[in-house]
């Protein structure tokens, strides 16, 4: 696969940074490809705008920044407003049903999913990233499900495996409905 | 089976792990973005290996404690960013003058002053060279990838111990915070250098009498060798010689010579797709990543472009540039500053038929491959 | 065991750099005699200094010695002490070095309670640079940068380091040299951060500008204005006017920093071992 650029953005507390790291690790370690991860977040530890940039490629990755993502996951209105305009014409936007003002229909494909509501149903805001990852792999197949699961299990605290897997699968389910 | 561990690692984490690999047993520092991860990691790991981690009251005392611990015989390192690097400078000069090994990691951010605390820049290139007053030797290494951040941190510790001089690892907010895949070297895979110790008896020991290589052997306090260290101009015995012109001259020349003598070992560069290049991009740090992508892009378009990546910034790697002075028609120097290293490139090539073009960006964003490709198109 | 002071000196590095009548040598003498009396091995002692007249002390004493940058001796010493916890670390500093440019390090080193003994030679002036007022120059005194007298109040260093958490604090003078030696000996034997201020005369930088014409005048001033803590307790406010206290202000036990650190390190190492 050639270079694929993914941006996951939301607000602090949704686990956006960790979610991005897990995707990158799934590709780099469990699928033996190349991957980079970059993050930015506001000075507030919680509630500020938060962004993960992931690049996955079969070759070495030199320029590590994402200017026009192939895939944008935007979980908040702020994230949609800020980044939807950067998505590549043949790209994908995944956003949340709670985002009220969607951008004017671009050339890219848009999926509106109840990610945040599903997270709340499973456990709360803290598993938003797991629901997101589940939906992301189903829609984009950016990494394999097995690699993703291994990467998740390697990163999460012991004793939280069941709940995280449950959230991941819930995310897959809401995405499968849209395909 | 290789025991090499594969990890998705953040740059600053690689730096901290590499310090431990190199045998660093002492860190003192002060919190500063975007370098803080290094101290956070070492605050956990150094106590686990019987090393010392100190969070000091300020940047100045951090540098002082690092030198004090190195006088105590421990491999020592600190990490900071622009404003803190400035505060450390006086004591970096002290380390150079009294020949005490130490490593300073500067994760560059936008300046001057508080500037852009979370955003990358390459504005400390000249501060790294000339930040402390007086003519002093310095070695500055500059990683562009997480793996290089690891290996160059090990090298920095090695060079510091080998030369008994401060060595600077000049990274930046991009390389510091980027996570990428690294295959970690196994124990024993990378060479580890320890400082040279004296072999003479206490009565014959002169702490600043250098060997052929210009480096005086070290000895620990408390072992029967009582001696004096002062950053005043000093004689071979280590005592002040503040009015002795001859000693002042020979001491300072030796400090420079010991680095120059090891030049071939210290100066590290990489030449990428340069064999037939008409245009050479001379780049370092995170900008070398953009340059690499730009070269790939330009090659696809049929342009003969290559990259020289400088991993050592000081001593300045003029040799590699001169090697291409007849072959290349253009050298482009992209930097996230207003031309700090371009001046050195121009100085190196001033008598050669090569046109040097600067490409500068200072807004806290990386130079993009597109910017470099478009500069290539303009100069051709 | 060496008993004579000269055995602790680097006699070949004489003459020293101090002006005739300077009090720094008397304070240094008290330090060396205290060490001699305690019987410390020269190899086990490290003396760290900064910049200034008092910081030139360690070039002429035969221990492990290093002179650092202005004001930073305590930070260098902290790094050294953590690297070599078995060694006896002494810092000799001055009023400019220790209370001015290095004041921040002094209060933080006191706060940490690391086992370092600090001797602050207080001559109330920047001597080496020619007599500028320091943070310890009493208000109203003449200095080369205070032609009509300093306008700033001065620190009481013993009160300052006490407030910062030092576990041994004392003050002596060059005139009361025997008492000073005893205070320094107690400071050296104290486990934790210990601080002794030694009031010293600077006839050239301070005395000749401030109506104390000779070194003897200055020593007499110390004799007349110092009062022991015990005597002060019984004295009337009139008797105490213009006087300064000498003696031991603080002598208490508290966890020493490197003990705390190495205990935590030992536990961390144990945990790693168990995890394997």
């Amino acid at each position: 696969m050639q270079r694929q650029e993914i941006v996951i953005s939301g607000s602090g507390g949704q686990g956006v940074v960790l979610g991005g790291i897990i995707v990158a690790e799934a590709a780099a370690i469990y699928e033996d490809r190349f991957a980079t991860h970059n993050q930015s977040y506001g000075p507030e530890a919680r509630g500020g705008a938060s962004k993960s940039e992931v690049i996955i490629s079969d070759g070495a990755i030199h320029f590590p920044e994402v200017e026009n993502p192939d895939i944008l996951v935007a979980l908040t209105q702020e994230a949609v407003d800020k980044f939807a305009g950067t998505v590549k014409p043949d790209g994908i936007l995944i956003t949340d049903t709670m985002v009220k003002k969607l951008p004017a229909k671009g050339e890219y494909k848009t999926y509106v999913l109840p990610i945040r509501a599903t997270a709340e149903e499973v456990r709360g805001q803290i598993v938003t990233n797991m629901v997101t990852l589940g939906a992301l792999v189903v829609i984009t197949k950016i990494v394999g499900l097995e690699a993703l699961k291994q990467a998740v299990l390697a990163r999460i605290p012991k004793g939280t495996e069941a709940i995280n897997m449950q959230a991941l699968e819930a995310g897959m389910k809401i995405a499968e409905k849209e395909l | 089976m290789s025991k090499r561990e594969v990890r998705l690692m953040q740059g600053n984490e690689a730096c901290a792990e590499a310090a431990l690999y190199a045998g660093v047993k002492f860190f003192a520092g002060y919190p500063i973005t975007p370098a803080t991860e290094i101290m956070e990691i070492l605050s956990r790991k150094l106590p686990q290996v019987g090393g010392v981690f100190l969070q000091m009251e300020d940047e100045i005392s951090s540098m002082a404690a690092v030198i004090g611990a190195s006088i105590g015989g421990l491999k020592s390192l600190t990490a900071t960013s622009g404003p803190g690097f400035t505060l450390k400078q006086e004591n970096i000069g002290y380390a150079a003058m009294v020949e005490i090994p130490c490593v300073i990691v500067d994760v560059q951010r936008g300046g001057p002053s508080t500037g852009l605390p979370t955003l990358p820049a390459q504005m400390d290139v000249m501060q790294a060279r000339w930040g402390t007053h007086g003519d002093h030797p310095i070695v500055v290494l500059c990683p562009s990838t997480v793996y290089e951040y690891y290996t160059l941190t090990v090298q920095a510790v090695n060079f510091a111990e080998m030369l008994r001089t401060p060595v600077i690892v000049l990274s930046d907010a991009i390389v510091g915070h980027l996570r990428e895949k690294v295959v970690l070297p196994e124990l024993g895979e990378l060479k580890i250098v320890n400082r040279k110790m004296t072999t003479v008896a206490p009565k014959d020991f002169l702490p600043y009498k250098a060997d052929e290589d210009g480096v005086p052997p070290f000895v620990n306090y408390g072992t029967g060798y009582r001696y004096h260290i002062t950053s005043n101009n000093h004689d071979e015995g280590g005592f002040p010689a503040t009015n002795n012109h001859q000693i002042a001259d020979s001491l300072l020349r030796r400090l420079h010579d010991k680095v120059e003598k090891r030049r071939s070992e210290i100066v590290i560069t990489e030449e990428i797709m340069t064999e037939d290049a008409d245009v050479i991009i001379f780049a370092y740090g995170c900008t070398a990543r953009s340059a690499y992508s730009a070269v790939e892009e330009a090659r696809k378009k049929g342009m003969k472009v290559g990259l020289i990546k400088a991993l050592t910034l000081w001593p300045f790697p003029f040799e590699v540039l001169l090697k291409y002075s007849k072959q290349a028609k253009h050298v482009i120097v992209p930097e996230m500053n207003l031309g700090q290293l371009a001046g050195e490139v121009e100085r190196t090539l001033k008598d050669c038929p090569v046109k040097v073009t600067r490409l500068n960006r200072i807004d806290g964003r990386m130079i993009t491959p597109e910017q470099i490709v478009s500069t290539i198109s303009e100069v051709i | 065991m060496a008993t004579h002071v000269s055995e602790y000196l680097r006699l070949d590095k004489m003459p020293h750099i101090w002006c005739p009548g300077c009090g720094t040598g008397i304070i240094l003498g008290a330090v060396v005699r205290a060490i001699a009396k305690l019987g410390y091995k020269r190899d086990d002692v490290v003396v760290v200094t900064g910049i200034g007249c008092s910081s030139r002390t360690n070039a002429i004493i035969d221990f492990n010695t290093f002179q650092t940058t202005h004001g930073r001796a305590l930070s260098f010493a902290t790094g050294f002490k953590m690297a070599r916890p078995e060694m006896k670390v002494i810092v000799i500093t001055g009023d400019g070095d220790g209370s001015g440019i290095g004041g921040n390090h002094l209060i933080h080193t006191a706060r940490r309670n690391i086992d370092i003994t600090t001797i602050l030679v207080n001559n109330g002036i920047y001597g080496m640079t020619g007599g500028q007022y320091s943070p310890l120059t009493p208000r109203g005194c003449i200095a080369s940068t205070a032609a009509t007298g300093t306008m700033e109040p001065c620190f009481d260093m013993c009160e300052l380091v006490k407030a910062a958490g030092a576990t041994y604090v004392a003050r002596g003078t060059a005139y009361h040299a025997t008492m000073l030696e005893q205070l320094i000996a107690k400071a050296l034997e104290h486990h934790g951060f210990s601080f002794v201020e030694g009031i010293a005369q600077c006839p050239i930088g301070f005395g000749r500008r401030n109506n104390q014409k000779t070194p003897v005048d200055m020593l007499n001033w110390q004799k007349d204005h110092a009062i022991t803590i015990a005597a002060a307790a019984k004295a009337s406010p009139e008797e105490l006017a213009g006087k300064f206290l000498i003696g031991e202000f603080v002598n208490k036990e508290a966890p020493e920093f490197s003990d705390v650190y190495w205990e935590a390190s030992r536990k961390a190492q144990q945990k790693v071992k168990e995890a394997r």
Side-chain angles (χ1 to χ4, degrees):
Chain A
M1 191 202 292
Q2 58 174 359
R3 180 174 169 127
Q4 289 266 315
E5 302 182 344
I6 307 121
V7 169
I8 307 174
S9 60
S11 63
Q14 292 176 331
V16 154
V17 171
L18 180 61
I21 291 173
I22 288 172
V23 173
E25 282 183 338
I29 297 171
Y30 300 100
E31 293 185 345
D32 198 24
R33 290 144 75 196
F34 290 88
T36 61
H37 175 267
N38 226 333
Q39 72 200 50
S40 70
Y41 39 84
E44 317 90 340
R46 290 286 176 272
S50 181
K51 182 169 86 150
S52 256
E53 289 182 0
V54 178
I55 303 171
I56 297 173
S57 173
D58 287 332
I61 298 161
H62 302 298
F63 184 61
E65 298 208 319
V66 176
E67 294 186 301
N68 300 107
D70 300 281
I71 299 155
L72 170 67
V73 180
L75 297 171
T76 60
Q77 185 70 54
E78 188 189 352
V80 168
D81 295 346
K82 232 172 158 177
F83 305 119
T86 65
V87 182
K88 284 200 183 103
D90 56 348
I92 293 170
L93 166 66
I94 300 171
T95 187
D96 194 90
T97 43
M98 289 189 199
V99 173
K100 291 297 166 223
K101 243 184 75 201
L102 289 175
K105 213 166 159 48
E107 286 177 65
Y108 50 80
K109 257 192 198 158
T110 301
Y111 295 87
V112 185
L113 305 175
I115 293 171
R116 286 160 58 183
T118 305
E120 290 298 339
E121 269 169 41
V122 175
R123 172 53 63 90
Q125 191 199 25
I126 193 162
V127 294
T128 308
N129 53 3
M130 292 299 144
V131 179
T132 303
L133 294 184
L136 179 69
V137 285
V138 166
I139 292 170
T140 68
K141 307 195 170 44
I142 190 79
V143 291
L145 185 59
E146 261 323 293
L148 182 70
K149 280 186 176 171
Q150 279 180 284
V152 167
L153 292 174
R155 272 282 173 182
I156 56 170
K158 289 241 172 324
T160 66
E161 294 86 353
I163 195 74
N164 278 300
M165 284 300 142
Q166 193 190 328
L168 191 80
E169 274 153 28
M172 292 169 65
K173 227 170 261 165
I174 56 171
E176 276 156 6
K177 280 186 207 154
E178 297 291 319
L179 287 180
Chain B
M1 263 296 274
S2 167
K3 276 175 266 153
R4 292 195 185 119
E5 195 188 346
V6 181
R7 275 169 69 180
L8 186 83
M9 206 177 213
Q10 194 178 44
N12 284 341
E13 185 186 1
C15 175
E17 294 286 351
L20 297 170
Y21 185 99
V24 166
K25 284 288 188 308
F26 186 94
F27 178 99
Y30 186 80
I32 188 166
T33 304
T36 309
E37 293 86 2
I38 298 169
M39 77 184 292
E40 287 176 338
I41 293 165
L42 290 175
S43 75
R44 288 193 301 274
K45 296 217 163 175
L46 274 169
Q48 294 174 348
V49 296
V52 178
F53 167 85
L54 291 182
Q55 182 172 314
M56 295 296 284
E57 57 270 19
D58 57 31
E59 296 276 2
I60 298 171
S61 53
S62 306
M63 193 64 232
V66 158
I67 301 167
S70 187
I71 291 173
L74 299 186
K75 289 184 178 177
S76 303
L77 176 142
T78 185
T80 186
S81 186
F85 194 39
T86 302
L87 287 165
K88 285 176 154 58
Q89 290 295 342
E90 186 194 8
N91 284 333
I92 293 173
Y94 177 89
M97 188 62 161
V98 302
E99 300 181 70
I100 293 299
C102 53
V103 173
I104 304 96
V105 181
D106 173 19
V107 189
Q108 294 173 95
R109 67 190 222 188
S113 193
T114 311
L116 303 164
T118 60
L119 299 181
Q122 297 180 301
M123 297 185 184
D124 298 350
V125 171
M126 281 297 174
Q127 185 180 207
R129 179 62 196 93
W130 294 116
T132 197
H133 68 279
D135 273 305
H136 62 281
I138 203 87
V139 176
V140 179
L141 307 179
C142 181
S144 71
T145 68
V146 173
Y147 184 70
E148 285 170 6
Y149 206 171
Y150 191 102
T151 54
L152 290 184
T153 300
V154 174
Q155 290 278 45
V157 177
N158 285 348
F159 292 163
E161 295 289 320
M162 176 176 83
L163 295 164
R164 288 189 59 176
T165 205
V167 174
I168 288 153
V169 177
L170 197 64
S171 72
D172 55 65
I174 291 291
V175 180
H177 281 163
L178 184 69
R179 285 183 175 84
E180 66 185 334
K181 182 176 174 173
V182 286
V183 182
L184 293 176
E186 293 172 54
L187 275 179
E189 189 176 332
L190 302 182
K191 190 173 95 172
I192 301 300
V193 178
N194 298 313
R195 66 188 75 164
K196 182 172 65 181
M197 304 302 275
T198 191
T199 52
V200 304
K203 65 174 174 44
D204 301 320
F205 179 68
L206 290 169
Y208 290 96
K209 189 173 165 50
D211 290 342
E212 279 288 292
D213 66 354
V215 181
F218 186 77
V219 71
N220 279 312
Y221 282 160
T223 57
Y225 298 77
R226 293 182 303 279
Y227 60 97
H228 190 57
I229 296 173
T230 177
S231 60
N232 276 311
N233 183 56
H234 47 269
D235 57 23
E236 287 185 337
F239 290 96
T242 45
N243 286 314
N244 189 319
H245 306 296
Q246 188 270 321
I247 289 177
D249 182 89
S250 63
L251 170 60
L252 226 51
R253 286 185 195 282
R254 178 175 65 72
L255 294 186
H256 284 268
D257 286 349
K258 70 177 177 182
V259 176
E260 282 302 312
K261 276 181 177 152
R262 288 244 171 60
R263 205 183 156 85
S264 62
E265 204 174 330
I266 294 165
V267 174
I268 310 165
T269 56
E270 220 175 281
E271 294 146 75
I272 297 150
M273 293 180 253
T274 49
E275 306 80 22
D276 61 342
D278 299 326
V279 180
I280 298 266
I281 318 289
F282 182 87
Y284 55 93
C286 68
T287 305
R289 305 182 69 107
S290 312
Y292 204 132
S293 291
V295 167
E296 286 180 335
E297 204 53 44
R299 285 271 168 186
K300 274 187 214 157
K301 294 181 180 170
M303 298 188 265
K304 287 184 178 171
V305 184
L307 167 66
I308 294 175
K309 178 158 79 176
L311 300 172
T312 302
L313 302 190
W314 304 106
F316 182 72
F318 61 81
E319 304 91 330
V320 67
L321 278 166
L322 289 175
K323 198 172 134 189
Y324 292 94
S325 63
K326 291 203 180 78
Q327 175 192 320
K329 297 182 183 70
H330 298 277
V331 172
I332 298 169
V333 190
E335 314 178 74
M336 293 174 71
N337 56 48
L338 288 175
Q340 295 194 13
L341 216 52
E344 294 300 310
V345 176
E346 287 158 358
R347 200 147 69 105
T348 302
L349 297 172
K350 68 179 188 307
D351 298 324
C352 309
V354 182
K355 192 169 178 298
V356 178
T357 303
R358 299 178 174 208
L359 172 55
N360 309 107
R361 184 163 194 173
I362 52 169
D363 63 352
R365 278 177 293 187
M366 284 186 81
I367 294 174
T368 63
E370 292 73 34
Q371 280 184 287
I372 298 173
V373 171
S374 103
T375 306
I376 296 167
S377 308
E378 283 163 29
V379 301
I380 284 181
Chain C
M1 191 211 300
T3 49
H4 195 271
V5 168
S6 67
E7 289 187 34
Y8 291 92
L9 300 179
R10 289 168 174 150
L11 292 172
D12 61 326
K13 299 304 167 195
M14 300 289 186
H16 56 67
I17 59 142
W18 301 308
C19 308
C22 175
T24 306
I26 300 175
I27 311 285
L28 179 63
V31 173
V32 173
R33 277 192 298 276
I35 293 172
K37 221 170 252 176
L38 293 167
Y40 293 163
K41 285 202 196 109
R42 289 174 298 179
D43 273 344
D44 296 343
V45 176
V46 182
V47 183
V48 189
T49 64
I51 297 291
C53 295
S54 60
S55 290
R56 294 298 283 265
T57 45
N58 66 351
I60 59 165
I61 50 178
D62 191 11
F63 301 103
N64 307 285
T65 55
F66 63 103
Q67 186 190 6
T68 68
T69 48
H70 198 17
R72 320 300 174 199
L74 279 163
S75 309
F76 280 85
T78 296
F80 183 87
K81 179 71 185 178
M82 292 306 288
R84 303 292 301 278
E86 77 282 8
M87 296 193 79
K88 190 84 213 166
V89 179
I90 302 167
V91 167
I92 302 178
T93 182
D95 44 314
D97 197 56
S99 79
I101 192 166
N104 194 37
H105 310 310
L106 178 60
I107 57 173
H108 286 281
T109 314
R111 174 178 63 84
R112 257 177 229 119
N113 196 35
I114 188 168
D115 190 18
I116 293 172
T117 297
T118 298
I119 313 297
L120 187 143
V121 181
N122 178 6
N123 60 11
I125 206 81
Y126 283 89
M128 187 162 274
T129 46
Q132 299 77 32
Y133 67 92
S134 87
L136 303 191
T137 305
R139 177 138 58 182
C141 290
I142 309 293
S144 72
T145 47
T148 57
T150 64
M151 288 171 262
E152 300 176 21
C154 60
F155 272 136
D156 179 326
M157 289 313 288
C158 289
E159 287 298 325
L160 182 67
V161 293
K162 180 182 162 186
T167 47
Y168 185 92
V169 181
R171 181 187 289 127
T173 81
Y175 177 83
H176 306 83
T178 311
M179 177 189 180
L180 181 67
E181 179 192 318
Q182 288 160 357
L183 293 169
I184 291 171
K186 284 183 81 173
L188 288 168
E189 285 293 276
H190 179 78
H191 189 59
F193 184 75
S194 54
F195 177 86
V196 180
E197 178 182 1
I199 307 288
Q201 70 280 10
C202 175
I204 305 297
F206 187 92
R208 68 191 168 101
R209 292 191 176 95
N210 287 286
N211 219 14
Q212 297 177 29
K213 299 282 181 231
T214 67
V216 175
D217 290 341
M218 299 191 79
L219 284 164
N220 278 329
W221 182 89
Q222 290 171 18
K223 182 181 78 174
D224 296 340
H225 291 79
I227 179 166
T228 63
I229 295 169
K234 294 180 218 143
S236 67
E238 295 75 38
E239 286 169 319
L240 284 175
K243 297 279 172 68
F244 65 88
L245 298 177
I246 54 173
E248 199 175 275
F249 297 94
V250 181
N251 187 357
K252 64 177 183 188
E253 297 270 316
E256 192 273 329
F257 176 72
S258 62
D259 288 346
V260 175
Y261 183 88
W262 290 115
E263 176 59 18
S265 169
R266 198 189 53 74
K267 279 185 185 153
Q269 291 175 61
Q270 187 63 32
K271 225 171 157 186
V272 170
K273 228 184 248 169
E274 283 163 11
R276 287 204 191 106

